[in-house]
Amino acid sequence: AQSVTQLGSHVSVSEGALVLLRCNYSSSVPPYLFWYVQYPNQGLQLLLKYTSAATLVKGINGFEAEFKKSETSFHLTKPSAHMSDAAEYFCAVSEAGGFKTIFGAGTRLFVKA
Amino acid sequence: GAGVSQTPSNKVTEKGKYVELRCDPISGHTALYWYRQSLGQGPEFLIYFQGTGAADDSGLPNDRFFAVRPEGSVSTLKIQRTERGDSAVYLCASSLTGGLAGGREQYFGPGTRLTVT
């Protein structure tokens, strides 16, 4: 069975600092992995996805994530936080050949001026 | 172009009543998903449609929940005998196809906030 664990329900960084949001997954088959972002009063939108091509995936707004099979991790990073990055971030996994997508509980990112 | 739309945006109902939640996917998207998001949680998978058929309904919590997509476009999530525990935001998403094993981007609607009093 698939599962996703996001470490830290809340993360606070200063503007300009590194953003690191952690995600670990479990899957019995090679997974597809996603990061979605949810801004206040808006729907979820895709930041980036891993679908078995390059392990370092670049997404929108300067975010990237690296798939590490040995660590079963897919952590999201951004070198320099902006105030506009304040939002809730969800890591998700689906199985190659499957339809069901499993989401983590989310990490709320706060950016301090 | 138009995104995924959901109606109503908010629904308040009394315990025991029946509700219907509607989802209009992006035109041409054959795959449609329903999720439930409780406060402080991530979206929880309910059901997936490929075309008109429910390809995976394993996430529906019990037989009070049912969903249809009769013409392969608009979908309706139906909840009978609502309970207070059903209160949540119900999200709909669509994608071009789910046939390639879940690797497609899902486009989410704004959700319907259901409150059962």
Side-chain angles (χ1 to χ4, degrees), chain A residues 51-96:
Chain A
T51 57
S52 75
T55 56
L56 182 62
V57 181
K58 295 187 184 299
I60 61 172
N61 301 336
F63 284 93
E64 64 181 35
E66 186 172 8
F67 171 65
K68 291 188 176 180
K69 184 178 179 181
S70 61
E71 299 177 8
T72 60
S73 70
F74 192 57
H75 301 332
L76 181 70
T77 60
K78 182 174 179 177
S80 176
H82 295 160
M83 297 296 289
S84 60
D85 294 327
E88 184 127 30
Y89 292 80
F90 294 94
C91 182
V93 62
S94 65
E95 289 182 352

Side-chain angles (χ1 to χ4, degrees), chain B residues 14-114:
Chain B
E14 292 180 350
K15 179 176 178 296
K17 299 289 188 183
Y18 168 83
V19 296
E20 290 188 351
L21 311 179
R22 176 188 168 105
C23 172
D24 270 285
I26 293 172
S27 177
H29 282 193
T30 57
L32 186 144
Y33 305 77
W34 282 101
Y35 295 88
R36 178 170 68 176
Q37 187 174 19
S38 300
L39 195 63
Q41 299 296 318
E44 173 193 6
F45 172 85
L46 296 178
I47 188 169
Y48 160 76
F49 286 90
Q50 179 59 36
T52 60
D56 186 345
D57 65 357
S58 62
L60 295 177
N62 52 58
D63 61 6
R64 295 187 299 105
F65 288 74
F66 189 72
V68 296
R69 194 185 185 199
E71 298 179 355
S73 177
V74 170
S75 176
T76 305
L77 178 65
K78 308 180 180 193
I79 310 174
Q80 299 176 319
R81 305 183 303 280
T82 52
E83 299 177 357
R84 291 194 181 88
D86 298 335
S87 296
V89 176
Y90 289 81
L91 299 172
C92 177
S94 69
S95 67
L96 273 171
T97 176
L100 286 182
R104 298 286 183 171
E105 174 179 358
Q106 294 179 38
Y107 294 82
F108 283 81
T112 293
R113 182 175 299 278
L114 175 66

Side-chain angles (χ1 to χ4, degrees), chain A:
Chain A
Q2 305 164 85
S3 67
V4 176
T5 301
Q6 291 185 240
L7 298 176
S9 59
H10 297 84
V11 169
S12 183
V13 301
S14 298
E15 194 172 20
L18 171 71
V19 175
L20 171 60
L21 305 182
R22 300 178 186 274
C23 172
N24 288 88
Y25 70 91
S26 69
S27 177
S28 57
V29 299
Y32 293 143
L33 294 158
F34 308 82
W35 276 98
Y36 283 84
V37 61
Q38 188 172 34
Y39 297 103
N41 301 315
Q42 294 187 27
L44 281 86
Q45 66 180 82
L46 183 71
L47 268 180
L48 49 80
K49 66 177 180 180
Y50 166 77
T51 57
S52 75
T55 56
L56 182 62
V57 181
K58 295 187 184 299
I60 61 172
N61 301 336
F63 284 93
E64 64 181 35
E66 186 172 8
F67 171 65
K68 291 188 176 180
K69 184 178 179 181
S70 61
E71 299 177 8
T72 60
S73 70
F74 192 57
H75 301 332
L76 181 70
T77 60
K78 182 174 179 177
S80 176
H82 295 160
M83 297 296 289
S84 60
D85 294 327
E88 184 127 30
Y89 292 80
F90 294 94
C91 182
V93 62
S94 65
E95 289 182 352
F99 313 110
K100 183 185 295 187
T101 302
I102 305 300
F103 284 79
T107 297
R108 183 166 295 279
L109 176 66
F110 297 91
V111 182
K112 299 175 292 186

